[in-house]
């Protein structure tokens, strides 16, 4: 028989176990983990379980079971002792406000400015707060009743599980769909055709249209390597398939789709495949696939996203989809598709006499039919240039050449006495250049001896060689500058033009702004015009600002706090940092697509290529945005020089390098009582403002230029980390 002490010890152990099993609510579990700075993966490793299990415990979908339950309870108990819950009345007096985590919803029109002066890493964002989650992973299972909130009520019931899902196979062989917000669904589909059917009929994936006449976004499925193997697809592409951008048409999976009456687009079954059936009226039946192991997520823009766990990848892509749009391909493709989604080419007309509506042109859009560019706007090899001699090289008087800066100059003796080279970079420079820009919507009209109109989009043949940068207008006053230390605003290389050349409207308008007369000889102008890119800019700006705010970089920080917040911001949440990179790439790639060049396909100079059939093939719009971006930068440089006497050493696109006595931008930017020079450079996160790009020693710059015997080597290219290789300079 056990003794009394043994029985009492057993009771004490039982009571202790009961106490440990009394777990806090799911939301408190998440709060405690985040307060300790722990990731779900760290907790899962300590408890010898899957990361997804920890996510389900924190979402309240499942409860931990022995033996993990007691250990998990002990962890939470100890964390609660170290990180007690805040008082219900809010933060204690004198304490900084807790930064609000984001939810995977479209960004608001403006990001609230409420960050504390002392920037703290934000809590890990939780995207599940905006819609109900499932209490079961069984397809078709009833959803638990969710609390009515303003955001939850706004969720389209057709897409209640979000815009996308990452399809994976767990250790038990179950196919799972990891959705945004931490939701995990069981997938019953045994083949790819049945997976497409399940997605359209049961998964409730997709996103509502971005504009009235637009179309809802098709659901996106991201297939992991395990999912590829399950559905009979190769885990990686062969070299031949990679070059072709698709698997062979005779592949067994494509035959399965054909038998099930599914079709593929012309680009076939590649990293971004679209599987569809012809639309029946307004009903679409289309699913897009993203295959990271086939290089669908370019590492230049998506970093290590393709290597993330399924739930983490769903979170990352979900944030991008909710704030920008559901990816339609590369970031460049998505950037172009976003323009069309915000300005669809057609809309429904008013009812006619019989009550029927018809498709009609949507005002403010580019229309549904492509338009020819002007000959000067056509890139080499365009059909408009087929009659030129084979080896003819067009000069400035024949070709519009609006590109970003790539300029540098030798340092002066005075600059060599300073200690540092400081680089500043314009945030979202090309997006800012698109904001408020009037662009052509229709075909160009040729005119001779036109009177220049700065409000009329077009390309102008004019001589700007008489513009002297040593004496220019800044505002209403003439100022004298050292023109030899400034790049010309009219050429990408900063060289002074030598005669007639083609320029976009913003470039010619800047010559007038500097105080000089212009007399174009001819022009291609677009009478039909508008601010086509405003909505595109606003969407991407809001996405960028919201994501940077989640990373602790708010729009209303002081210059000092902004520099502090930007220091190491990517490490606070590497996944959100990838979203920021993807948003930036969406801007540049989308604008680049406006003048997409031939991509193989047996093309020969003088023949049309596929991109020319798009109404969004508009090199004139791309040129206008780049022109305005370059002019915006030059205007700030001139105002800075007029006020401080400081001139840039080098410029590369949106990065400018100055010599300074200190390592910080605040050592040469003329702030007065926290206020910047009006119209000059201003530190901040908003598009068009600048951030610190990098600092190197002046001796480093001189040594690099001497090593390569290049006194005008563009140091802006290397200012970030100072690394220069022989390959960078053609050796």
């Amino acid at each position: 028989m056990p003794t009394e002490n043994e029985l009492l010890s057993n009771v004490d152990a039982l009571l202790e176990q009961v106490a440990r099993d009394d777990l806090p609510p799911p939301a408190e579990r998440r709060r405690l983990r985040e307060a300790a700075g722990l990731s779900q993966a760290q907790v899962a490793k300590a408890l010898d379980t899957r990361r997804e299990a920890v996510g389900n415990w924190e979402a309240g979908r499942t409860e931990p079971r022995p033996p993990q339950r007691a250990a998990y309870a002990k962890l939470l108990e100890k964390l609660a002792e170290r990180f007690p819950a805040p008082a219900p009345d809010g933060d204690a007096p004198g304490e900084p406000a807790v930064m609000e985590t984001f939810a995977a919803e479209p960004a608001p029109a403006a990001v609230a400015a409420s960050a504390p002066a002392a920037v703290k890493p934000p809590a890990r964002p939780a995207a599940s707060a905006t819609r109900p989650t499932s209490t079961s992973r069984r397809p078709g299972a009833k959803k638990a009743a969710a609390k009515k909130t303003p955001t939850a009520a706004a969720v389209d019931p057709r897409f209640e599980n979000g815009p996308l899902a990452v399809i994976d196979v767990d250790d038990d062989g179950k196919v799972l769909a990891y959705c945004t917000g931490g939701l995990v669904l069981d997938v019953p589909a045994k083949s790819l055709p049945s997976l497409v059917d399940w997605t359209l009929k049961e998964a409730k994936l997709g996103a509502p249209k971005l504009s009235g006449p637009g179309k809802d976004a098709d659901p996106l499925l991201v297939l992991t390597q395990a999912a590829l193997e399950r559905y009979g697809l190769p885990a990686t592409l062969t070299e031949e398939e990679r070059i072709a951008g698709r698997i062979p048409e005779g592949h067994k999976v494509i035959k399965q789709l054909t038998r099930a009456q599914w079709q593929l687009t012309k680009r076939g079954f590649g990293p971004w495949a679209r599987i569809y059936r012809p639309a029946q009226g307004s009903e679409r039946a289309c699913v897009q696939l993203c295959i990271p192991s086939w290089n669908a997520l370019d590492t230049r823009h998506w970093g290590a996203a393709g290597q993330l766990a399924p739930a983490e990848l769903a979170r990352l892509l979900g944030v991008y989809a909710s704030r920008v749009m559901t990816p339609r391909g590369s970031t460049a493709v998505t950037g172009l598709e976003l323009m069309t989604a915000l300005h669809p080419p057609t809309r429904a007309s008013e009812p006619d006499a019989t009550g029927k509506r018809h498709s009609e042109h949507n005002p403010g859009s580019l229309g549904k039919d492509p338009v020819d560019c002007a000959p000067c706007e056509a890139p080499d090899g365009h059909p408009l240039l087929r009659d030129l001699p084979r080896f003819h090289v067009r000069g400035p008087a024949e070709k519009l050449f609006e590109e970003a800066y790539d300029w540098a100059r030798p340092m002066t003796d005075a600059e060599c006495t300073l200690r540092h080279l400081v680089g500043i970079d314009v945030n979202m420079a090309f997006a800012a250049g698109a904001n408020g820009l009037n662009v052509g919507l229709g075909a160009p009209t040729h005119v001779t001896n036109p009177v220049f109109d700065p409000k009329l989009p077009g390309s102008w043949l004019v001589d700007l060689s008489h513009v002297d940068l040593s004496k220019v207008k800044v505002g209403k006053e003439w100022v004298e500058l050292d023109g030899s230390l400034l790049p010309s605003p009219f050429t990408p290389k900063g060289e002074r033009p030598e005669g007639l050349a083609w320029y976009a409207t913003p470039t010619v308008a800047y010559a007038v702004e500097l105080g000089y007369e212009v007399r174009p000889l001819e022009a291609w102008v677009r009478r039909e015009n508008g601010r086509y890119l405003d909505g595109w800019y606003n969407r991407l700006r809001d996405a960028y600002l919201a994501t940077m705010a989640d990373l602790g970089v708010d729009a209303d920080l002081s210059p000092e706090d902004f520099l502090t917040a930007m220091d190491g911001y990517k490490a606070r949440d590497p996944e959100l940092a990838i979203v920021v990179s993807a948003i930036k790439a969406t801007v540049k790639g989308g604008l680049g697509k406006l003048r997409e060049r031939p991509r193989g396909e047996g093309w020969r100079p003088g023949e049309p290529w596929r991109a020319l059939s798009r109404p969004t093939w508009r090199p004139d719009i791309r040129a206008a945005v780049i022109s305005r971006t370059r002019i915006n930068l030059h205007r700030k440089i001139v105002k800075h020089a007029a006020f401080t006497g400081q001139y840039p050493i080098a410029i590369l696109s949106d990065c400018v390098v100055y010599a300074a006595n200190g390592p910080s931008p605040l050592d040469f930017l003329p702030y007065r009582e926290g206020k910047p020079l009006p119209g000059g450079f201003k530190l901040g996160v908003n598009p068009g403002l600048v951030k610190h790009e990098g600092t190197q020693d002046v001796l480093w710059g001189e040594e690099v230029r001497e090593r390569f015997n290049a006194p005008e080597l563009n140091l802006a290219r290397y200012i970030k980390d100072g690394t220069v290789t022989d390959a960078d300079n053609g050796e």
Side-chain angles (χ1 to χ4, degrees):
M1 294 290 293
T3 64
E4 181 178 353
N5 288 336
E6 290 175 335
L7 292 175
L8 290 174
S9 297
N10 291 341
V11 170
D12 289 339
L14 184 61
L15 290 173
E16 181 180 358
Q17 186 65 42
V18 171
R20 288 186 178 179
D21 281 355
D22 187 16
L23 295 175
E28 178 65 5
R29 303 170 195 175
R30 175 185 289 273
R31 186 196 71 79
L32 291 170
R33 176 181 59 76
E34 292 175 344
L38 299 174
S39 67
Q40 291 180 347
Q42 288 175 298
V43 174
K45 183 176 181 180
L47 299 179
D48 193 23
T49 188
R50 295 187 306 133
R51 191 211 63 77
E52 292 77 14
V54 177
N56 287 334
W57 299 344
E58 293 182 351
R61 288 187 291 274
T62 60
E63 290 294 317
R65 296 181 178 180
Q68 283 85 5
R69 185 179 180 90
Y72 187 49
K74 183 176 181 179
L75 171 66
L76 296 176
E77 178 184 351
K78 295 300 182 182
L79 291 179
E81 293 175 0
R82 297 186 59 184
F83 306 100
D89 291 335
D91 298 321
E95 292 292 321
V98 177
M99 186 174 299
E100 183 179 359
T101 58
F102 77 87
E105 286 294 314
V111 178
S114 58
V119 178
K120 293 185 177 181
R124 187 178 185 81
S128 61
T130 60
R131 64 168 172 270
T133 54
S134 174
T135 56
S136 171
R137 293 191 318 208
R138 298 191 314 275
K142 292 183 178 180
K143 304 291 181 182
K147 293 182 179 180
K148 297 291 184 179
T149 64
T151 52
V155 174
D156 192 321
R158 298 172 300 160
F159 313 124
E160 67 175 77
N161 291 334
L164 56 88
V166 179
I167 308 299
D168 192 32
V169 182
D170 67 7
D171 295 338
D172 297 328
K174 292 182 180 179
V175 181
L176 303 176
Y178 293 82
C179 307
T180 57
L183 177 66
V184 183
L185 303 173
D186 274 340
V187 180
K190 304 298 183 183
S191 66
L192 192 62
S194 61
L195 175 64
V196 175
D197 278 325
W198 173 82
T199 302
L200 293 172
K201 295 177 181 178
E202 301 182 43
K204 295 187 176 182
L205 295 174
K209 57 190 177 183
L210 296 180
S211 66
K215 298 176 181 178
D216 296 328
D218 299 318
L220 173 65
L221 299 182
V222 184
L223 304 183
T224 66
Q225 292 195 37
L228 292 173
E229 182 179 351
R230 169 61 61 90
Y231 291 118
L233 291 164
T236 58
L237 297 179
T238 65
E239 182 66 17
E240 182 180 354
E241 292 168 343
R242 186 189 62 79
I243 294 174
R246 65 185 74 187
I247 59 176
E249 294 184 4
H251 194 280
K252 63 179 182 179
V253 172
I254 296 181
K255 292 180 179 179
Q256 291 175 2
L257 292 170
T258 303
R259 286 195 297 269
Q261 299 183 333
W262 290 106
Q263 301 179 27
L264 294 167
T265 58
K266 289 183 179 180
R267 61 183 173 186
F269 203 122
W272 291 93
R274 297 188 69 80
I275 303 173
Y276 73 98
R277 287 184 180 134
Q280 301 295 325
S282 61
E283 293 295 324
R284 290 171 57 82
C286 182
V287 172
Q288 175 144 339
L289 303 184
C290 168
I291 306 178
S293 64
W294 294 7
N295 299 318
L297 301 175
D298 191 328
T299 54
R300 293 173 299 175
H301 310 138
W302 292 101
Q307 309 301 319
L308 294 175
E312 305 297 330
L313 181 56
R315 172 193 176 235
L316 184 156
L317 292 176
V319 175
Y320 179 89
S322 65
R323 292 181 174 175
V324 179
M325 70 178 298
T326 305
R328 295 287 303 272
S330 66
T331 50
V333 170
T334 303
L336 194 69
E337 291 290 340
L338 180 61
M339 297 180 194
T340 303
L342 294 168
H343 284 287
T346 60
R347 68 178 183 183
S349 67
E350 293 296 325
D352 60 17
T354 63
K356 292 184 178 180
R357 297 179 183 267
H358 307 276
S359 177
E360 67 177 14
H361 174 69
N362 183 27
S365 75
L366 298 181
K368 63 178 182 179
D369 298 317
V371 297
D372 284 334
C373 62
C376 63
E377 298 163 352
D380 294 338
H382 192 279
L384 288 174
L385 310 175
R386 64 165 59 93
D387 294 331
L388 288 178
R390 183 176 179 184
F391 297 107
H392 177 74
V393 178
R394 293 185 294 162
E398 299 173 279
K399 178 181 180 181
L400 177 69
F401 192 67
E402 295 283 10
E403 298 295 341
Y405 266 130
D406 185 356
W407 170 87
R409 63 169 175 82
M411 284 186 276
T412 65
D413 292 342
E415 288 166 342
C416 288
T417 64
L418 302 177
R419 298 180 59 189
H420 300 284
L421 296 175
V422 184
I424 52 177
D425 182 79
V426 181
N427 298 315
M428 301 271 284
F430 293 100
N435 182 31
L437 178 64
N438 204 33
V439 300
L441 301 178
T445 301
H446 184 253
V447 292
T448 57
N449 297 318
V451 176
F452 176 68
D453 183 353
K455 297 181 180 179
L456 189 59
S459 300
W460 309 78
L461 181 62
V462 60
D463 186 354
L464 299 181
S465 60
H466 63 291
V467 177
D468 184 3
L469 294 181
S470 63
K471 187 177 182 181
V472 297
K473 262 190 176 181
V474 178
K476 296 182 179 180
E477 297 181 0
W478 286 91
V479 298
E480 294 186 359
L481 303 171
D482 189 341
S484 66
L485 301 180
L486 286 171
S488 167
F490 309 127
T491 61
K493 291 293 184 181
E495 301 164 343
R496 187 168 181 168
E498 297 179 351
L500 287 171
W502 285 98
Y503 302 101
T505 297
T507 302
V508 184
Y510 187 56
V512 176
E513 180 184 328
L514 292 176
Y516 291 87
E517 183 182 10
V518 297
R519 294 181 179 178
L521 292 187
E522 59 179 298
W524 290 88
V525 297
R526 287 171 167 80
R527 309 290 185 190
E528 183 187 357
N529 51 70
R531 292 166 60 160
Y532 173 73
L533 295 173
D534 275 10
W536 183 79
Y537 162 77
N538 290 334
R539 180 83 177 172
L540 291 165
R541 174 204 61 196
D542 292 345
Y544 174 73
L545 291 180
T547 311
M548 289 299 290
D550 288 330
L551 286 165
V553 186
D554 190 82
D556 277 357
L557 294 174
S558 68
E560 295 80 5
D561 290 338
F562 169 71
L563 292 174
T564 301
M566 287 295 293
D567 187 17
Y569 77 94
K570 294 182 179 180
R572 294 173 198 149
D573 192 324
E575 293 164 23
L576 283 187
I578 292 175
V579 175
V580 171
S581 173
I583 293 170
K584 293 179 180 179
T586 303
V587 173
K588 291 187 176 181
L591 294 172
K593 277 283 185 180
L594 292 170
R595 198 191 67 165
E596 183 177 358
R597 303 302 303 275
R599 302 170 65 103
E601 303 172 353
W603 174 81
R604 294 181 179 180
E607 297 178 350
W609 57 92
R610 183 183 300 179
L612 298 186
S613 63
R614 296 193 322 249
T616 50
W617 193 84
R618 293 294 302 274
D620 58 298
I621 296 180
R622 172 188 177 273
V625 173
I626 293 176
S627 165
R628 192 163 187 247
T629 302
R630 192 181 67 247
I631 294 307
N632 284 346
L633 182 60
H634 195 274
R635 185 181 292 112
K636 295 178 187 297
I637 289 171
V638 166
K639 290 196 174 183
H640 184 85
F643 188 79
T644 67
Q646 298 170 337
Y647 296 85
I649 302 295
I651 310 173
L652 183 67
S653 187
D654 46 12
C655 176
V656 188
V657 176
Y658 283 90
N661 267 325
S664 168
L666 290 175
D667 291 314
F668 71 92
L669 293 182
Y671 273 83
R672 296 278 182 87
E673 298 179 355
K675 296 182 179 180
L677 171 68
F681 294 110
K682 178 182 178 182
L683 289 166
V685 71
N686 282 289
L689 306 189
V690 299
K691 64 179 183 293
H692 183 204
E693 180 70 3
T695 296
Q696 304 296 331
D697 294 336
V698 166
L699 292 177
W700 163 86
E702 288 296 281
E703 187 274 329
V704 167
R705 286 178 165 179
E706 183 178 348
R707 188 199 323 167
F708 294 105
N709 192 26
E712 296 183 4
L713 180 71
N714 196 332
L715 299 176
R717 181 173 280 109
Y718 317 106
I719 195 70
K720 190 167 189 175
D721 59 12
T723 302
V724 187
T725 65
D726 291 343
D728 291 330
N729 294 278
E731 297 190 9

